[in-house]
Structures are given as C-alpha cells and as structure tokens.
C-alpha cells in the first residue's frame, strides 16, 4: 500500500492542503482550519485512525464556518477515495465509542455508493466559535459524497462536547479498522 497521500483544493471560499502518511516511524498530527474545536475533533480522528496528518486550511471564517467544514470533508473524502483505490481494505466496519454519558455507533460500507444516515438528535447548544451538530453532519455528508461510501452514525448523550467528540473518535477507529488491518496483510476484501 502506498504510504503517502497529498491533495490541494482551492475555491473562492477555501484554500486547503492535506497530507496523510501511514509511516509509523514518522507519526505527527498538525491541523489548522481556523476553527479550534474542529481542529481538536479532527486531531482525535487522526490519532485514533493511526495516521499522520498535516492539514492547512484558510477559509472565509468571517462569513461562516460552513464552507471550511464542508470543504475539509470534501478533501478528506477525496484522499480516502485515493487510499481505497489500492483495494487494501475491509469493505465493512463498525465501531462503538462511549464518552461519559455519550455513545456513538458508526458503521461503514465501502460500496462506491454515497449515503449518510445521521441519527443524531439536534442540539441547539453550540460549542466554541458557533460549531454545532449541523457542522458535524455537513462534514460527514461531504466526506461520504466525495469518498463514495455509505456511513451510518447514531449518537446520544447530554453534553454536546462529549457527543461530538465521541463521533470523531469513533470515525478514527472506524478508519483504522477499515484500513490498517490491510496495510500490513496486503489482502483485499470485496
């Protein structure tokens, strides 16, 4: 499996560069989107996915968080699609992550059909900088549409921070489950 993936994407709203590396000897995570809470969540995903990531995003944060969150989801989806082109992956994966009173259940099917089921109750509380459950949904919708995968996310809990963090951690474990088992074994599952 190829160890290093790189992608740049520029629009009138965002300028993003993303590098993902699977070399275990060079582990690092550097993420800068201009949205501190989103950076923290993406760091959780990358750490639990066991992948080194260097993500730089400059966007029109003065307008809204939406463009940054959506475009970062698109870039992660494009990179993921490149990675699975090597066909070293498990087609199906699922994971559960609790975080205090919050619980996330997530399943993925790498079926080249884009679909997101987002069974996450709405919260009218925002996290820092206005980040909300709607932004979480937008990130995963963009990821699924670009990566051509089916993803089901179910989540409950009381604390909005715990709920969102358990979603992003669960996503990291899911990616690790889908990819890392096959990086070393070089087997293909269809």
């Amino acid at each position: 499996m190829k160890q290093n993936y790189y992608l740049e994407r520029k629009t009138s709203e965002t300028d993003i560069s993303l590098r993902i590396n699977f070399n275990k000897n060079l582990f690092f995570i550097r993420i800068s989107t201009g949205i501190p809470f989103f950076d923290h969540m993406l760091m959780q995903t990358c750490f639990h996915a066991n992948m080194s990531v260097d993500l730089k995003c400059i966007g029109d944060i003065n307008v809204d968080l939406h463009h940054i969150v959506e475009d970062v989801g698109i870039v992660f989806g494009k990179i993921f699609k490149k990675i699975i082109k090597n066909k070293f992956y498990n087609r199906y994966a699922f994971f559960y992550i609790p975080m205090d009173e919050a619980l996330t259940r997530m399943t993925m099917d790498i079926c080249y059909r884009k679909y997101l089921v987002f069974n996450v109750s709405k919260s009218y509380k925002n996290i820092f900088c206005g980040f909300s459950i709607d932004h979480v949904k937008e990130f995963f919708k963009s990821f699924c549409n670009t990566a051509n995968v089916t993803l089901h996310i179910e989540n409950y809990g009381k604390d909005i921070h715990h709920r969102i963090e358990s979603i992003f951690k669960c996503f990291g474990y899911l990616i690790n489950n889908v990819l890392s088992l096959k990086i070393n074994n070089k087997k293909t599952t269809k």
Side-chain angles (χ1 to χ4, degrees):
M1 177 175 185
K2 188 175 164 188
Q3 296 291 312
N4 197 36
Y5 296 85
Y6 182 75
L7 184 67
E8 287 183 8
R9 183 175 190 268
K10 286 186 182 190
T11 68
S12 59
E13 290 129 355
T14 59
D15 183 350
I16 302 173
S17 67
L18 174 62
R19 180 177 307 283
I20 293 180
N21 191 308
F22 291 101
N23 184 337
K24 304 284 188 228
N25 299 322
L26 300 172
F27 191 77
F28 60 88
I29 299 173
R30 290 186 293 265
I31 295 176
S32 176
T33 65
I35 307 168
F37 184 76
F38 189 38
D39 292 352
H40 175 53
M41 293 302 103
L42 292 172
M43 285 178 190
Q44 295 299 313
T45 293
C46 298
F47 177 80
H48 294 294
N50 270 330
M51 57 188 188
S52 294
V53 173
D54 190 1
L55 169 67
K56 293 181 187 107
C57 175
I58 299 169
D60 59 357
I61 199 164
N62 57 320
V63 174
D64 195 341
L65 307 183
H66 173 86
H67 295 141
I68 292 170
V69 172
E70 177 183 37
D71 289 2
V72 167
I74 288 169
V75 171
F76 265 96
K78 284 185 175 189
I79 288 266
F80 188 79
K81 194 173 181 180
K82 280 184 176 184
I83 294 167
I84 62 176
K85 272 189 176 179
N86 289 312
K87 299 195 188 297
F88 297 119
Y89 60 85
N90 290 313
R91 177 176 169 180
Y92 301 104
F94 66 92
F95 224 86
Y96 293 74
I97 290 288
M99 186 164 183
D100 297 343
E101 86 299 340
L103 177 70
T104 297
R105 293 182 293 261
M106 195 175 293
T107 60
M108 182 185 286
D109 179 8
I110 300 175
C111 55
Y112 300 96
R113 291 187 304 274
K114 42 188 134 184
Y115 203 83
L116 174 66
V117 174
F118 195 75
N119 287 335
V120 177
S121 60
K122 180 90 169 154
S123 172
Y124 294 97
K125 262 179 129 174
N126 291 338
I127 297 286
F128 318 100
C129 304
F131 198 85
S132 70
I133 289 287
D134 290 333
H135 293 107
V136 176
K137 183 177 182 180
E138 194 58 44
F139 171 81
F140 285 105
K141 185 174 102 181
S142 298
F143 173 84
C144 289
N145 287 341
T146 311
N148 286 339
V149 299
T150 294
L151 188 63
H152 288 243
I153 301 171
E154 296 177 323
N155 168 273
Y156 64 81
K158 292 183 180 176
D159 184 286
I160 188 69
H161 185 135
H162 294 166
R163 289 176 57 205
I164 293 173
E165 189 161 345
S166 72
I167 289 171
F168 279 89
K169 284 181 176 178
C170 195
F171 186 52
Y173 275 105
L174 195 69
I175 289 171
N176 188 37
N177 194 310
V178 165
L179 298 178
S180 70
L181 295 177
K182 299 304 176 189
I183 289 171
N184 296 325
N185 297 335
K186 306 254 190 254
K187 292 179 184 172
T188 302
T189 302
K190 293 196 182 208

